[in-house]
Each structure stands twice: as C-alpha cells, then as structure tokens.
C-alpha cells in the first residue's frame, strides 16, 4: 500500500486523501522532487503492481496529487533517480529496470528529459541497461555538470558503470576498476572534505578467484585521474 505520512507530533498520521490518489506498488522505487519548479514536492514512482509494472509522475496540486499519465515506460525490478543532466535548472530523471513488454526480459536504462509544461521525453544517452539497480548523480570531474554512477544486474552478473557528462555528446563511459556489484546501492559524497566527490558502494560482488562465491561490500572510493576533466 502506498501511504503518505504527515508528522503531527508523534506518532505519524496517515494522509489518507493523498495516499488514495497514488498507485500501490512493490519491488520498485519512489522519490520526492519539484519537477515543475513551483515550490512544492511532486512524486515519482516506479515498480510493480498486481496488474503489471507502473512508472508515473504525480503533480502536487495542493490538497491532492494528480497523475500526469505521460505513457512512461513501465519497468519491473525498477529504480529511479532525479538529476539535471542538461543543466537547465529543472529535474530530469533516470529509470532503470526490466522491460517485459512483448514477452521481452530486457535490462533497461532510460533517461527522461524534462521539456517543460508537465512533459518528459526519452533522451538517447546510450546507457547500459540494468535491473535491480541504483544510480547516483554528481559532478565527479568538477566541470559544473552532473555525471552518473550506476550499479545493477544485467543478467546473472553485476555491473558498475561511471558515465562522464561532457556537455556535447553528453555521456562518455569512463574506464574504472570498481567492483561490479548487484543487489546493491551507490551514493556520492565528500567524506574527506577535499572538494571532490567520493563513492560509497554496497552490494554483492562475484570474486573471480573463487568462482561462484559472493561477498557483501561496503567501500569508500576516492576519485582517480581517469575521471578527471583533463583526460
């Protein structure tokens, strides 16, 4: 059940009116974000229902939320992340998961560009498709735009990818020696206060030295020259 809870002292209080306007999902993701820049929080959801997958944006109309019904791609095993990849000061988003339409079982990564007037369109970014994944956006090379790191599963194997936003063709795959993980998550932050972003990763990695063995990882990784703007 999708529920929105208000804080009115303690305990939390269910906002039944708002909750009833949202689609109930599982095995997915949900985010707040002000996609239309009007000063209030809208909702982005992606996941599964008993009748199939759903991806939807709900516009905050004050007393309730209204679905935009944009016909976004519906993915199973999905996750979403807000971003502003084109640096135009509004929220775009990345959708990852499994495309099961037409009897397919295709790992996917779809970047949606905010084109204004409550509308989004697919942007051809050439990203690797994954499911059961997570993504994070941040300026890894300190050039003023948002780069992407993503982890996930592309079919019995984990992947970790870094894409540099070059502002022209937009995304270049960056060579890296990070562990390929699945059933995990990734976050960016500057834990050592040196003015560049570090990477925090958790998940399962296949150890090539021990075929078929798996281990959980939690690693903080500092930037290397291969993701520097001078490359």
């Amino acid at each position: 059940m999708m529920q929105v809870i208000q804080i009115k002292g303690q305990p939390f209080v269910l906002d039944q009116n708002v909750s009833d306007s949202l689609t109930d999902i599982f095995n997915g993701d949900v985010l707040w974000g002000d996609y239309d820049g009007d000063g209030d929080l809208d909702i982005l959801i992606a996941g599964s229902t008993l009748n199939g997958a759903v991806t939807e944006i709900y516009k905050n109309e004050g007393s309730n939320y209204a679905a935009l019904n944009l016909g976004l791609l519906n993915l199973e095993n999905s996750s979403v992340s807000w971003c502003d990849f084109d640096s135009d000061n509004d929220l775009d988003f990345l959708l990852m998961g499994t495309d099961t339409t037409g009897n397919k079982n295709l790992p996917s990564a779809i970047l949606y560009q905010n084109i204004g007037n409550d509308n989004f369109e697919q942007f051809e970014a050439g990203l690797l498709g994954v499911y059961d994944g997570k993504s994070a956006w941040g300026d890894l090379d300190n050039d003023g735009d948002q780069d992407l790191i993503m982890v996930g599963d592309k079919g019995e194997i984990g992947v970790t990818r870094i894409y540099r936003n070059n502002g022209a063709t937009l995304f270049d795959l960056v060579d890296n020696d990070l562990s390929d993980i699945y059933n995990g998550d990734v976050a960016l932050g500057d834990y050592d206060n040196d003015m560049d972003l570090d990477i925090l990763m958790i998940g399962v990695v296949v150890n090539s030295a021990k075929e078929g063995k798996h281990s959980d990882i939690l690693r903080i990784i500092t930037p290397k020259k291969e993701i520097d703007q001078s490359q």
Side-chain angles (χ1 to χ4, degrees), residues 33-44:
D34 184 11
Y35 80 87
D36 52 4
D38 64 352
D40 53 28
L41 289 175
D42 311 296
I43 297 174
L44 170 61

Side-chain angles (χ1 to χ4, degrees), residues 187-205:
L188 298 174
D190 183 15
Y191 83 97
D192 50 4
N193 296 315
D194 64 350
M195 304 302 292
D196 57 29
L197 289 176
D198 310 298
I199 301 168
L200 177 63
M201 299 167 55
I202 61 171
V204 179
V205 58

